[in-house]
Amino acid sequence: MRLLAFCLLFAIHSLVTNGQSSQRRDAILERNLQAALKGFRGDVGVYVHNLKTGKTVAINADTLFPTASTIKIPIQCGLFDKIHKGDLTYGQTLTYKDSLHYDDGIVGSLKDGAKIPLGEVVMLMETVSDNTASLWCQALAGGGTAINTWLENNGFHQTRVNSRTPGREADRTRYGWGQTTPREMADLMTYIRQGRAVSPDASEEMYRNLGRQYWDNDGLSQVPPDVKTACKNGAVNQSRSEVVLVHAPHGDYVYCVMTKNQQDESWERTNEGFVLLRNVGALLWQHFEPKSTWKPSVGYEKWW
């Protein structure tokens, strides 16, 4: 009996630690995704989770990739943790200083001494991916070390802020601003959606911010505009990434696509990474909503 109990416990442990049992794996979707990834000149990771059925697909889902601007989701979590603790208030007025300037985005174009509410800085970080706003939020959150501590304490052991974070210089050289896995980034989006990040009310506001995506011309362009989504994407020369939660009619699903070591470093719509994001977005919509007849309108490419 002891041996039987031990074997049972071992089997359960293996099922959990492997992360994806055969019963919960969407084999058909996995085959279709593998075909879509074939021939891509670079490394790709994909994680898909149907939140209604529990079925998943994991292709290099636990491999580390550069976050690019998807790191702005963890930064938002770290900042809201400070707000929740009472160290900051969401509506407080901030004063912009030229020393904060990183690039010539919206915040970086403000005049020295300009006043702006913290909530607007957060919105610009998530919605238009403003880099100066994001570094400002990172500093207000207590820096990369504080954000990484929040991530570790909440079970995200692979996702880390590297830039401007003591002790992570080598990681920054390799991965840039941050590093993560497709599984963890998708799980973090779900964590926020489920009201588990910081607090239910903080999660709700963070999710609202993630639902106002300006950069909607890649994977999001393959989902009907009247379907609610939450999204964050990122791009650097050799990497393209996108994490999306789709409130589809037949059940919510979340996915994350990440690339690295891309041979195609162009910044045109035809970049292989951007094309891959659109192809995966379309494939997933068609898979989860097979009766949908919706397609992007003729000429939608001009709005990229």
Side-chain angles (χ1 to χ4, degrees), residues 93-99 110-116 136:
T93 299
L94 302 178
T95 302
Y96 177 76
K97 298 294 184 182
D98 286 342
S99 58
L110 294 175
K111 293 182 179 180
D112 185 74
K115 307 294 184 181
I116 184 170
W136 196 358

Side-chain angles (χ1 to χ4, degrees), residues 66 110 129 135 158 176 206 243:
L110 294 175
S129 209
L135 287 168
Q158 305 299 321
M206 286 192 281
V243 56

Side-chain angles (χ1 to χ4, degrees), residues 5-300:
F6 175 79
C7 291
L8 181 60
L9 287 172
F10 180 79
I12 294 172
H13 174 75
S14 298
L15 190 65
V16 172
T17 54
N18 286 338
Q20 182 173 227
S21 70
S22 59
Q23 288 83 7
R24 299 176 70 82
R25 180 170 141 262
D26 192 328
I28 295 174
L29 179 57
E30 183 173 334
R31 285 197 300 270
N32 291 339
L33 283 169
Q34 290 282 16
L37 305 183
K38 190 175 182 180
F40 182 78
R41 297 182 303 161
D43 301 321
V44 187
V46 180
Y47 181 70
V48 185
H49 185 190
N50 184 319
L51 299 176
K52 181 178 181 180
T53 66
K55 288 188 175 182
T56 62
V57 173
I59 302 171
N60 299 323
D62 299 307
T63 300
L64 285 174
F65 286 85
T67 58
S69 286
T70 62
I71 196 62
K72 295 163 188 178
I73 300 178
I75 290 173
Q76 182 178 219
C77 290
L79 182 68
F80 273 62
D81 187 50
K82 294 279 282 189
I83 295 171
H84 181 68
K85 291 174 179 176
D87 298 327
L88 300 165
T89 59
Y90 200 46
Q92 74 181 76
T93 299
L94 302 178
T95 302
Y96 177 76
K97 298 294 184 182
D98 286 342
S99 58
L100 295 166
H101 180 271
Y102 177 79
D103 61 15
D104 293 330
I106 295 173
V107 176
S109 299
L110 294 175
K111 293 182 179 180
D112 185 74
K115 307 294 184 181
I116 184 170
L118 175 57
E120 290 187 16
V121 177
V122 176
M123 179 274 294
L124 291 168
M125 171 174 70
E126 298 300 343
T127 302
V128 301
S129 209
D130 189 291
N131 288 322
T132 300
S134 303
L135 287 168
W136 196 358
C137 287
Q138 178 175 316
L140 289 168
T145 300
I147 297 167
N148 292 341
T149 298
W150 184 91
L151 288 163
E152 180 66 24
N153 290 342
N154 284 269
F156 299 94
H157 307 303
Q158 305 299 321
T159 305
R160 292 292 182 267
V161 176
N162 296 329
S163 180
R164 304 186 181 189
T165 304
R168 301 200 62 83
E169 293 80 9
D171 297 287
R172 183 183 183 281
T173 299
R174 184 174 183 183
Y175 294 105
W177 197 336
Q179 62 195 60
T180 191
T181 69
R183 188 192 303 269
E184 278 208 355
M185 191 55 72
D187 284 348
L188 180 55
M189 181 71 86
T190 304
Y191 199 63
I192 295 169
R193 168 64 182 134
Q194 294 175 340
R196 301 166 64 196
V198 181
S199 67
D201 57 296
S203 290
E204 186 173 290
E205 182 63 17
M206 286 192 281
Y207 197 71
R208 289 184 187 277
N209 286 329
L210 292 165
R212 303 177 180 125
Q213 183 55 245
Y214 172 76
W215 302 102
D216 59 358
N217 34 35
D218 292 313
L220 286 186
S221 71
Q222 305 304 307
V223 176
D226 58 345
V227 171
K228 170 68 178 178
T229 59
C231 173
K232 192 75 195 76
N233 40 38
V236 291
N237 286 348
Q238 291 187 302
S239 174
R240 305 292 188 271
S241 58
E242 193 164 37
V243 56
V244 185
L245 198 152
V246 181
H247 295 270
H250 289 89
D252 296 353
Y253 64 91
V254 63
Y255 73 93
C256 182
V257 183
M258 293 191 151
T259 76
K260 62 181 178 180
N261 302 320
Q262 282 192 201
Q263 291 185 35
D264 186 353
E265 298 185 34
S266 67
W267 288 93
E268 304 299 324
R269 185 178 186 277
T270 53
N271 175 276
E272 288 183 28
F274 290 140
V275 171
L276 182 68
L277 296 180
R278 292 194 295 274
N279 288 345
V280 171
L283 189 158
L284 293 176
W285 174 257
Q286 292 160 12
H287 177 81
F288 291 121
E289 298 296 331
K291 294 184 179 180
S292 173
T293 60
W294 180 87
K295 298 288 183 185
S297 298
V298 174
Y300 84 100

